[in-house]
């Protein structure tokens, strides 16, 4: 016969032993808006229309 399966409590204990506790949830008032500090790499500078045209075969 196969071994008996773990109970939900035993699985919960094993998860806790392996992964520990989750960090506390971040409340909405503690969140901040993302501010990009570098230009996007998928588009050339807006002033460089020639580079954009060359990239896209215009």
């Amino acid at each position: 016969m196969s071994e008996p399966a773990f109970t939900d409590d035993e699985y919960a204990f094993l998860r806790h032993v392996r992964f520990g506790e989750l960090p506390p949830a971040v409340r909405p008032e503690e969140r901040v808006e993302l501010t990009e500090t570098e230009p996007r790499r998928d588009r050339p500078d807006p002033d460089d229309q020639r580079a954009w045209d060359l990239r896209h075969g215009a």
Side-chain angles (χ1 to χ4, degrees):
M1 289 196 128
S2 64
E3 296 181 27
F6 289 117
T7 64
D8 288 343
D9 289 337
E10 290 170 329
Y11 277 125
F13 173 74
L14 292 173
R15 275 193 305 275
H16 180 74
V17 168
R18 182 171 180 186
F19 299 110
E21 293 185 24
L22 291 174
V26 178
R27 298 189 325 239
E29 60 270 11
E30 295 174 341
R31 297 179 187 167
V32 296
E33 185 175 338
L34 177 64
T35 303
E36 294 290 337
T37 58
E38 296 181 4
R40 292 174 48 174
R41 294 179 181 221
D42 62 337
R43 295 186 63 113
D45 293 332
D47 298 331
D48 194 0
Q49 185 64 39
R50 182 173 174 269
W52 181 252
D53 291 342
L54 288 172
R55 176 181 253 181
H56 293 283

